[in-house]
Amino acid sequence: MANDEKKLHIAMFPWLAFGHMIPYLELAKLIASKGHLISFISTPRNIDRLPKIPPTLASLINFVKLPLPHVQNLPDNAEATSDVPLNLVPFLKRSYDALQDSVTRFLEDSHPDWLLHDFCPYWLPPIARKLGIPSAFFSIVSAAALCFLGTKAYFGERKSPEDFTVPPRWVPFPTTVAFRLFEVFKIFGQGITGVEDDVSDVYRFVDVLQGCDIVAVRGCVEFEPEWLRLLEDLNGKPVLPVGQLPTTAFDSEDDTDTWRWMKAWLDLQSKGSVVYVAFGSEALPSQTELTEIALGLEQSKLPFFWVLRTRKGPADTELIELPEGFEERTKERGVVCTSWAPQLKILAHESVGGFLTHSGWSSVVESLQFERPLILLTFYADQGINAKVLDEKKIGYLIPRKEQDGSFTRDSVAESLRLVTVEEEGKAYRDKAKEMKGLFGDRDSQDRYVNSFLGYLKTHLQSQKVE
């Protein structure tokens, strides 16, 4: 009984991307709501930009601000991937790696019961082991994406971009899940082979998978049972799904003011008619892509609400612009919002009938918890794998693109939007989105996953003491 009542101290160290920090914070809130203590480690500016937590959890979530060491070529105040264009992300990784000493000191001083870390700090599992702290790699990417990467035993086996466009030989069941060629081209250097002295993302992943004690995955058995089993078989260690972590919002007064005018516009639209367009904090279309998306939206004749980012931080010199006259021509049926928007509230509104998204998993979860069908346009990283998983299960529709360069047309955008949102042929996608609500938005199911995860963490600690 005493074991069940033990309150844990869990340290969390996510990668410096909001697509990673937010799911870590969601899990932190769920764990803290059970009375456990969280030390959430990140940089000062990132912590200040995180969503506010409920006052009831304030005493249980301790935000640990570690100043980000300066490295050459990284702009001042750049502390997250959303602050820099893609070509500067390697410098952000170098800066993150330079946090090694300060993270180690924190762990030595506080000695948490468990450490949950991301894919990036490949140097951290050996440090945790030396300090006697069990570590879990908490992956915000799916089990399918982790399986696709493989393990250290397979590292370097795939040498050409084309090798990544077919399912890996270690996947024993039939699947179509693989990258498309243009998606591999975008990540082949930084992500797969590494550039100059930089450690590649794939190496970080497989090294962390090998070094950690257990793997915690954002996901659920009901959605990807075969991938979760394979991940455990490949790595020879426990793989624990923690649920899909649907986002929970804590409103501030500023958010309410912003939402007021947006809701007023959405209220005027017919039920299920609006296309919501947003590509997260990381993905940014090129000027050519932006033009085709805009003209495709216009051509679709559907009402739309577009949250548009035109640059990634002050260091981004490639400002993208809407086609001339677009806003004027579509002002009667569309909104282009270039500031922050409450995505959860927009998706929850009954006028929204489809979501044009980059396939980032947080956006997928938010969409499906409100039964919104997905139109998929990938840009980077694991988005290509996510999109193929959704496509294979007929949960999302991939906008047709050229395999070699990923180009697409305004016609294909317009046709895809209409198909998924309003046309009879796309009803299967709308029905499937409704069916998914139970997996992606059920709070009781989410609670069971967190309880099961915490039960494992406690049992592991107890067994260590017995030994």
Side-chain angles (χ1 to χ4, degrees), residues 286-396:
S286 67
Q287 182 61 61
T288 303
E289 290 169 338
L290 179 75
T291 300
E292 294 305 311
I293 293 165
L295 296 177
L297 272 171
E298 185 177 350
Q299 202 171 296
S300 75
K301 300 282 192 284
L302 293 167
F304 64 87
F305 192 108
W306 188 355
V307 179
L308 175 65
R309 294 184 76 223
T310 54
R311 61 163 28 161
K312 286 189 74 180
D316 191 354
T317 53
E318 294 182 32
L319 189 68
I320 52 176
E321 296 177 335
L322 289 165
E324 195 175 342
F326 169 78
E327 288 185 87
E328 182 61 30
R329 293 192 304 272
T330 59
K331 67 180 180 185
E332 297 303 320
R333 60 177 177 86
V335 170
V336 178
C337 173
T338 54
S339 57
W340 177 85
Q343 179 158 295
L344 267 187
K345 288 181 176 177
I346 294 168
L347 285 169
H349 197 281
E350 67 173 13
S351 69
V352 175
F355 182 13
L356 175 55
T357 172
H358 58 311
S359 313
W361 205 251
S362 288
S363 289
V364 168
V365 171
E366 289 178 2
S367 190
L368 293 175
Q369 77 182 86
F370 295 115
E371 306 179 359
R372 307 299 175 227
L374 298 156
I375 306 103
L376 308 170
L377 189 67
T378 64
F379 292 94
Y380 191 66
D382 63 323
Q383 294 161 16
I385 297 296
N386 293 344
K388 287 301 278 288
V389 167
L390 295 164
D391 176 62
E392 187 173 82
K393 293 176 183 286
K394 294 290 177 276
I395 297 169

Side-chain angles (χ1 to χ4, degrees), residues 143 146-154 170-172 227-237 239:
L146 292 178
C147 290
F148 189 85
L149 294 174
T151 66
K152 236 173 177 180
Y154 300 115
W170 51 85
V171 177
W227 293 108
L228 286 163
R229 276 196 301 273
L230 177 58
L231 188 61
E232 197 160 81
D233 291 345
L234 285 171
N235 290 284
K237 60 186 63 175
V239 171

Side-chain angles (χ1 to χ4, degrees), residues 234-278:
L234 285 171
N235 290 284
K237 60 186 63 175
V239 171
L240 305 170
V242 298
Q244 296 291 1
L245 303 174
T247 311
T248 52
F250 176 67
D251 284 347
S252 71
E253 221 166 278
D254 293 346
D255 299 349
T256 307
D257 291 342
T258 306
W259 171 238
R260 196 170 287 124
W261 71 262
M262 294 179 179
K263 182 179 183 301
W265 184 85
L266 290 165
D267 286 346
L268 295 173
Q269 313 307 315
S270 303
K271 184 178 178 180
S273 67
V274 176
V275 176
Y276 175 56
V277 185

